[in-house]
Amino acid sequence: MDIQTTLLVDGEKRTLALDTRTTLLDALRDRLGVTSPKKGCDHGQCGACTVLLEGRRVNSCLVLAVAQDGAEVVTAEGLGKGTALHPVQEAFLARDAFQCGYCTPGQVCSAVGMLREAAAGNPSHVTADLNAPVALNDAEIRERMSGNLCRCGAYVNIVSAIRDVAAEQAAGGGAGTASPRTAGASS
C-alpha cells in the first residue's frame, strides 16, 4: 500500500508515493537520488545512514519514511550553502578525518547533531557534572560519536575535527551554519 508522503529534503520539498514499509534511507537513496546517506549495516548499528531529521540526528535505516510526512531532512549534501561547506565539513577536510569516505557523510551529520545536543546542555553517558555546561573533551566527543563506526580507523582525526569546531563554537563562531569558505579555498 502506497501513501503520498512529502519531505523537505535539503531545503527542497519532495512528494512521492511510498510503500508504508519504506525506510527513510531507502526513500532518500532509491526514490530521491540523495546518495550521501549510506546503507551500511541496515540495522542502526554503524551510523553510515545518519541524517538530521527535524534537527536531530537519526539512523535513517530505522525510520519509516511515511511516518515523517512533512518533516525536514538534512543530509550531508544539504549542510552547506551552495558551494560553501558547513564548518564541520571544512574541519573534516582540514584534519583529513576520512579515509575511504563511506562513513563520512553519516559522521558529519552526526557531528553536527551532537554539537547541537551538547550546546543545548544535553548530557551524555560520560558527562561528569550534569549541572554544568557540557565540556566537549575527547571523551565526550568519542562517547557522543560512538554510534558511528569507521572501519578505516580515522577516529583520531574525526575527534580532532570535531574538537576544532567545538572550540570555534565556544569562542563564539557559528558552527551551526555554512562557512563562507569553499572546498577549494585554503585554510
Side-chain angles (χ1 to χ4, degrees):
M1 174 174 149
D2 289 352
I3 292 183
Q4 190 88 354
T5 304
T6 300
L7 300 169
L8 182 63
V9 179
D10 296 333
E12 184 179 343
K13 187 176 178 180
R14 311 287 296 267
T15 300
L16 59 165
L18 293 172
D19 184 296
T20 55
R21 299 166 292 179
T22 305
T23 66
L24 180 58
L25 175 62
D26 289 338
L28 290 169
R29 288 187 59 83
D30 300 339
R31 301 293 304 278
L32 298 176
V34 180
T35 57
S36 61
K38 303 294 190 258
K39 185 173 277 195
C41 66
D42 213 19
H43 290 87
Q45 297 176 349
C46 74
C49 65
T50 303
V51 299
L52 299 172
L53 178 63
E54 294 293 330
R56 299 185 60 134
R57 55 186 171 156
V58 299
N59 291 327
S60 60
C61 71
L62 298 180
V63 176
L64 293 176
V66 296
Q68 309 310 317
D69 187 37
E72 179 184 30
V73 179
V74 177
T75 70
E77 297 172 45
L79 285 172
K81 304 261 190 252
T83 59
L85 297 175
H86 187 280
V88 171
Q89 292 170 316
E90 278 196 7
F92 269 61
L93 283 172
R95 289 290 190 165
D96 196 21
F98 48 87
Q99 290 182 12
C100 79
Y102 193 81
C103 72
T104 302
Q107 297 269 4
V108 167
C109 283
S110 190
V112 170
M114 67 80 83
L115 287 166
R116 287 181 186 159
E117 292 162 13
N122 298 337
S124 77
H125 180 69
V126 299
T127 302
D129 185 351
L130 300 181
N131 297 313
V134 174
L136 279 177
N137 56 34
D138 287 0
E140 279 281 352
I141 293 169
R142 285 189 178 100
E143 171 60 22
R144 290 172 185 270
M145 294 295 293
S146 63
N148 290 77
L149 302 179
C150 172
R151 290 177 178 87
C152 299
Y155 294 117
V156 173
N157 293 350
I158 291 169
V159 170
S160 297
I162 294 169
R163 188 182 333 109
D164 290 351
V165 176
E168 183 179 320
Q169 203 174 35
T177 59
S179 165
R181 290 182 282 176
T182 63
S186 61
S187 55

